[in-house]
Amino acid sequence: MSTRFTAFILTLFVFGNSSYCQKNTSFNVKKQLEYCVQQASKTLKVIPNDGTSPRTVPNGSKDWKFVNYKDWTSGFWPGELWYLYEATGDQKWEKQADKFSRFLTPLSVSKANDHDLGFQIFNSFGNGYRLTKNEAYKDIILKSADTLATLFNPKVGTIQSWPHNKFGGHNTIIDNMMNLELLFWASKNGGNKKLYDIAVKHAETTMNNHFRPDYSSYHVIIYDYETGKKIKGRTAQGFSDDSMWARGQAWAIYGFTMVYRETKDPKFLDFAHKLTRVYLDKLTTEDLIPYWDFNAPGIPNEPRDASAAAIVSSALIELSSYTKDAALKKEYLTKSKKMIVSLSEHYQSRDVNSAFLLHSTGHKPAGSEIDCSINYADYYYLEALLRFQKLKIK
Ligand code: GLY
């Protein structure tokens, strides 16, 4: 038997056997999900009754800052509520998820403000439709996909991320990869088939222009509106134009993994593996929670970004399911689990505030949301826990 084949069989045994998971780890996903339920229950009690939802708890505070439906993060809180409904089956969460999702309805009939519609609508109504098949949600998702598509510039081949902040051209940020899921879903569920082509074109253009030779991502690429030519790569939220902003690379890993799921085109899978390789190889922290930027000048005295770790840990679980390379699968699952365990054991907010996690960094160059609790870290942490739980049941 070849060594490779032996390793494959061993991995199948290790990860396919739930009793292995139970015997060899004290990590208890159910307990972490219960913790999320308790924290979210506390948060529910402090949300004002004015259509807003919780976004962030600043470092040193116990109090949430609330935002309305227009904020780019407005879909994460309803998304968490849907995940809690999925985790518990308790209709209390369905009721709350429905209530907070519906606050976002105006987005589906407004002009597109920016690319964040995918985050906003798919995490809220997308999860809601997946779990309830409520036709009203579907209508909102389909309308929002058409709205997002209005930002597509065929001369460039991407959706413009920030129409209000032009940086001297058509700008696309790596985060935008995440919003393609809304377009794929709509194209397959009664929406315009062209949405699929737009999503694929955006992914291809991004693959060709958004990365350095080592597969680390730029945050922003500026294109010429008319010729579609790339002008330059730069940053907005990272340390420098040439640095690897942790959350940007995390969005890229998650985004290209999702694009492979939706297209089954192997070039996207191969690319997702390459993006993951550079992230994992450059990760120097013992607990696998990255500094906010891999090239931040003050490392090791720089803030971490728990949100990037939550995004990557969730993505790795999905990416691991697309490889037949036993060693790679094992590496992805082992590291994903280590990230989830680190977040659970050393980054939970517990009594500090009612978010799930501490130590995320939103926009360090702007001096905003540094080393704080933030709703998208909580959303992807919960998603990773649920994905991990499903993996163990298999
Ligand atoms: N999409 C904005 C961010 O990741 O901060």
Side-chain angles (χ1 to χ4, degrees):
M1 213 186 282
S2 75
T3 318
R4 210 175 147 86
F5 187 65
T6 312
F8 179 54
I9 295 295
L10 197 64
T11 304
L12 280 183
F13 175 74
V14 164
F15 289 105
N17 185 328
S18 60
S19 63
Y20 167 86
C21 295
Q22 280 150 20
K23 276 185 207 149
N24 288 275
T25 176
S26 58
F27 182 67
N28 183 335
V29 187
K30 207 163 156 256
K31 205 170 125 204
Q32 312 314 323
L33 290 170
E34 278 162 14
Y35 161 79
C36 294
V37 164
Q38 281 160 16
Q39 295 294 94
S41 300
K42 287 187 238 167
T43 298
L44 273 180
K45 291 192 184 128
V46 298
I47 303 177
N49 197 15
D50 60 358
T52 60
S53 64
R55 168 173 168 147
T56 187
V57 184
N59 190 328
S61 169
K62 274 184 108 60
D63 300 324
W64 282 101
K65 282 187 181 298
F66 300 96
V67 288
N68 73 15
Y69 71 91
K70 291 182 184 167
D71 188 85
W72 85 269
T73 70
S74 62
F76 293 113
W77 171 248
E80 286 170 51
L81 296 169
W82 284 117
Y83 278 146
L84 291 177
Y85 173 51
E86 184 175 8
T88 61
D90 184 339
Q91 287 184 336
K92 160 188 164 178
W93 296 111
E94 182 188 12
K95 197 164 161 252
Q96 294 295 340
D98 174 74
K99 173 183 156 183
F100 283 94
S101 294
R102 284 182 191 271
F103 290 152
L104 278 66
T105 305
L107 291 171
S108 64
V109 289
S110 315
K111 193 167 171 283
N113 193 35
D114 57 38
H115 72 127
D116 288 317
L117 270 173
F119 282 117
Q120 292 165 309
I121 294 295
F122 208 64
N123 296 342
S124 55
F125 290 107
N127 277 312
Y129 186 78
R130 181 175 63 81
L131 295 169
T132 66
K133 301 291 177 273
N134 182 330
E135 285 297 312
Y137 298 171
K138 185 176 183 176
D139 187 51
I140 290 165
I141 301 168
L142 294 180
K143 282 189 181 131
S144 304
D146 288 340
T147 307
L148 177 59
T150 62
L151 297 177
F152 182 71
N153 177 347
K155 289 177 184 155
V156 175
T158 68
I159 290 162
Q160 183 167 35
S161 296
W162 294 328
H164 48 279
N165 186 351
K166 299 195 171 34
F167 287 131
H170 168 106
N171 63 65
T172 297
I173 67 172
I174 192 60
D175 325 28
N176 205 328
M177 287 300 301
M178 301 295 286
N179 297 308
L180 304 182
E181 195 170 2
L182 170 67
L183 302 183
F184 282 122
W185 189 92
S187 73
K188 294 174 186 178
N189 288 277
N192 193 326
K193 298 277 177 270
K194 284 191 186 139
L195 298 173
Y196 183 93
D197 302 332
I198 289 174
V200 170
K201 186 70 188 167
H202 181 108
E204 285 173 345
T205 309
T206 299
M207 194 165 83
N208 293 334
N209 293 303
H210 224 107
F211 297 88
R212 305 178 188 98
D214 70 351
Y215 300 101
S216 65
S217 179
Y218 288 100
H219 185 196
V220 190
I221 298 292
I222 314 296
Y223 296 95
D224 185 285
Y225 275 110
E226 294 308 322
T227 65
K229 265 185 72 175
K230 173 175 167 177
I231 299 173
K232 65 172 176 176
R234 56 162 293 170
T235 198
Q237 284 164 260
F239 164 64
S240 73
D241 291 349
D242 292 320
S243 68
M244 189 163 93
W245 175 48
R247 197 163 54 260
Q249 195 71 17
W251 293 139
I253 291 167
Y254 193 118
F256 278 96
T257 301
M258 174 275 295
V259 171
Y260 172 68
R261 180 212 310 147
E262 297 299 332
T263 61
K264 290 290 173 263
D265 185 333
K267 71 175 183 248
F268 293 126
L269 179 59
D270 180 56
F271 202 66
H273 286 307
K274 286 176 169 144
L275 303 177
T276 304
R277 192 72 272 146
V278 63
Y279 181 98
L280 294 178
D281 284 355
K282 289 189 183 221
L283 197 53
T284 52
T285 52
E286 180 67 26
D287 64 4
L288 303 190
I289 312 301
Y291 296 102
W292 70 282
D293 189 300
F294 281 66
N295 304 101
I299 289 173
N301 300 312
E302 292 277 356
R304 302 293 185 100
D305 184 13
S307 75
I311 295 159
V312 171
S313 64
S314 182
L316 283 180
I317 294 173
E318 178 169 9
L319 190 56
S320 75
S321 72
Y322 301 142
T323 180
K324 291 192 171 65
D325 179 329
L328 194 60
K329 189 188 277 286
K330 184 175 178 191
E331 181 192 1
Y332 287 170
L333 288 173
T334 305
K335 289 187 174 165
S336 169
K337 181 179 170 190
K338 184 161 180 189
M339 291 170 199
I340 296 170
V341 172
S342 290
L343 292 171
S344 301
E345 293 184 349
H346 304 295
Y347 289 72
Q348 284 184 346
S349 309
R350 301 178 195 227
D351 295 331
V352 177
N353 64 52
S354 69
F356 303 160
L357 299 176
L358 299 168
H359 306 310
S360 290
T361 297
H363 196 332
K364 176 91 167 35
S368 123
E369 298 181 330
I370 299 167
D371 195 14
C372 66
S373 293
I374 201 148
N375 59 12
Y376 45 87
D378 289 1
Y379 175 88
Y380 289 102
Y381 172 61
L382 186 49
E383 181 182 273
L385 287 173
L386 285 172
R387 285 182 172 187
F388 189 71
Q389 188 182 50
K390 285 176 190 159
L391 190 77
K392 286 173 73 175
I393 293 164
K394 264 192 227 161

